[in-house]
Amino acid sequence: MTFDELPPYRALLVVDTKGFGGNPAATQAMLSAAIPDVLSQAFARAGLREVWETALFPHGTGDGYGLGFDPRFLPAVVSRFFDELEAVLAERDARLRSAARSVRLRMRASLNVGPILEPEPGTTAAAAIGSAVITTHRLLDAAPVRAVLERSDPDQTFLAVALSQRIFEDVLAGGYADLPASKVVPADVRVKEQRGTVYLYIPNPSGDLLRHGAGFEEELAAARAKIEPPAPGSTTNTINGTVRGTAFQIGQVHGDLRHG
């Protein structure tokens, strides 16, 4: 391929495992071997065995796995694969629980599409290269994606999915997937020089995700408060719920204050 040719467009799926490094070596080996197994099962249950069996540049990362595939499968992957992966992980957790409750297999998944330069046949390159590949991996490290598993019940929520802007626009907003666009939550991300929007899909939300949602408004407000503290002499009050009667928000008062 010459440099004036655009590499072929490929879909790219990458997953990694929460808390992998905190396990002892023997447990890490067991979890690493389980990752491609649960992915294979999820693809098969979703009716997408062909995606797994014809995967482009499949590669393990120790605590995760990555593979490319034909973008024509994207609507089916978005619509069916992630729900099946959540179910397979829940079943696998029941087996792990019987051995040791400290052992868990909870995943973050990232899905993207774009021009990808694939390894040359016969080379030992572990994966493809290109900006789409870099973006896919960095979405896994984005704070909103990590927060999904931190804020949910570890016995109920086993998967957090990060869909790229391109996936959202082409597949969901384009109406090609059965998964409604309203079931994903946009979140701003900044990982190194990567800035943009990630669309979160959580097949089985639980814990704080049910109480407060996955929009991360609290974290955003806290961050803004640190960056933009109230000006001297000013007062900021927050009122939650329903207020009956009169509510006063007062900075400084000189003299008498009477009401009624």
Side-chain angles (χ1 to χ4, degrees):
M1 177 178 295
T2 60
F3 289 107
D4 59 352
E5 293 180 349
L6 185 68
Y9 270 66
R10 303 298 189 198
L12 182 63
L13 171 70
V14 179
V15 303
D16 69 359
T17 304
K18 172 177 168 52
F20 183 87
N23 292 291
T27 302
Q28 290 182 14
M30 178 187 66
L31 292 176
S32 183
I35 293 171
D37 184 42
V38 298
L39 293 176
S40 175
Q41 288 188 45
F43 275 116
R45 292 189 187 185
L48 294 165
R49 189 184 299 274
E50 181 181 354
V51 174
W52 179 255
E53 293 179 346
T54 62
L56 306 171
F57 47 88
H59 57 286
T61 60
D63 66 342
Y65 201 86
L67 60 92
F69 58 91
D70 192 314
R72 66 189 175 92
F73 291 110
L74 276 171
V77 169
V78 171
S79 300
R80 305 197 299 268
F81 170 72
F82 296 115
D83 288 342
E84 293 296 342
L85 181 56
E86 168 73 27
V88 172
L89 288 170
E91 294 170 8
R92 184 59 59 94
D93 181 75
R95 292 163 52 183
L96 294 172
R97 184 181 307 172
S98 63
R101 180 58 288 179
S102 61
V103 180
R104 297 184 184 276
L105 184 58
R106 304 175 75 207
M107 288 184 172
R108 293 180 293 267
S110 178
L111 185 66
N112 195 14
V113 65
I116 296 177
L117 186 61
E118 302 176 29
E120 293 293 333
T123 64
T124 58
I129 60 175
S131 61
V133 177
I134 295 172
T135 297
T136 309
H137 282 272
R138 287 185 176 171
L139 288 180
L140 289 179
D141 290 327
V145 184
R146 289 182 172 275
V148 168
L149 297 185
E150 295 290 344
R151 296 175 54 174
S152 55
D153 184 344
D155 293 331
Q156 298 296 325
T157 300
F158 299 96
L159 180 64
V161 182
L163 304 176
S164 71
Q165 180 81 42
R166 186 68 183 273
I167 294 294
F168 177 82
E169 292 176 353
D170 291 355
V171 182
L172 279 89
Y176 290 102
D178 292 335
L179 179 69
S182 60
K183 292 192 71 173
V184 301
V185 179
D188 293 332
V189 296
R190 182 173 183 177
V191 183
K192 297 183 179 180
E193 71 275 9
Q194 186 75 41
R195 301 186 67 175
T197 301
V198 65
Y199 291 83
L200 301 172
Y201 176 55
I202 308 162
N204 186 36
S206 63
D208 284 347
L209 301 180
L210 293 179
R211 286 188 287 271
H212 306 297
F216 308 101
E217 294 87 351
E218 295 174 351
E219 288 84 347
L220 181 60
R224 285 176 174 168
K226 293 179 181 178
I227 298 172
E228 302 174 359
S234 66
T235 300
T236 301
N237 296 320
T238 301
I239 300 176
N240 295 317
T242 303
V243 176
R244 302 181 184 280
T246 303
F248 291 97
Q249 298 189 62
I250 303 173
Q252 295 180 339
V253 179
H254 300 280
D256 296 332
L257 173 65
R258 297 180 182 179
H259 173 60

